[in-house]
Amino acid sequence: MAGRFPVLMYHRLESPECPVDSAQERPWSVPLAEFDRQMARLRETGRLGVSMDQIHSELAAGRDVPAAWVGLTFDDGNASDYRHALPVLTGYGFHATFFVCADRIQGEMPPAQLRELRAAGM
């Protein structure tokens, strides 16, 4: 249906390298292995993870979003975005949109990592 498409929103991926220590953050985190299983399942079912920019381009051109597309987004700019999400996504040939809070730049998401995300098509 025109203008309708699924979007999976992520906040933080949890691993020993990127632990979630805050009780407030825990409900918004996904274990890294679970995220990888979810991306594998998308691939197995013929789906393609795409960025919101890709979706917007289709809609702006007056086209329906392809049925196989699933928008993928990450909020805030956590260290796990670069450390874990990027390699998993590129491994499956997927793209995503990363919404990075300005106060995370230099801390959890240094500018060099932001440039690498962009260079990878994110």
Side-chain angles (χ1 to χ4, degrees):
M1 177 177 282
R4 296 187 66 162
F5 47 86
V7 176
L8 299 178
M9 179 188 75
Y10 296 92
H11 178 67
R12 184 184 295 272
L13 302 180
E14 183 176 11
S15 73
E17 298 83 21
C18 296
V20 178
D21 298 324
S22 165
Q24 291 177 318
E25 293 281 325
R26 184 150 313 283
W28 306 108
S29 67
V30 174
L32 175 58
E34 176 60 25
F35 175 71
D36 187 57
R37 279 191 294 273
Q38 291 173 10
M39 296 303 103
R41 184 70 178 142
L42 288 177
R43 172 60 68 210
E44 290 166 7
T45 58
R47 306 303 290 256
L48 179 65
V50 299
S51 69
M52 296 309 292
D53 187 51
Q54 290 171 281
I55 288 171
H56 179 264
S57 293
E58 290 297 303
L59 295 174
R63 296 185 293 263
D64 288 346
V65 174
W69 283 16
V70 175
L72 301 174
T73 69
F74 290 81
D75 290 341
D76 296 339
N78 295 301
S80 64
D81 294 353
Y82 177 80
R83 184 172 198 134
H84 298 313
L86 180 61
V88 171
L89 293 168
T90 56
Y92 288 104
F94 291 172
H95 293 96
T97 296
F98 292 82
F99 297 104
V100 179
C101 295
D103 65 352
R104 299 288 174 105
I105 299 172
Q106 296 297 348
E108 286 203 47
M109 184 67 65
Q113 291 179 359
L114 287 171
R115 286 191 290 275
E116 288 186 51
L117 285 170
R118 180 69 178 150
M122 307 297 162

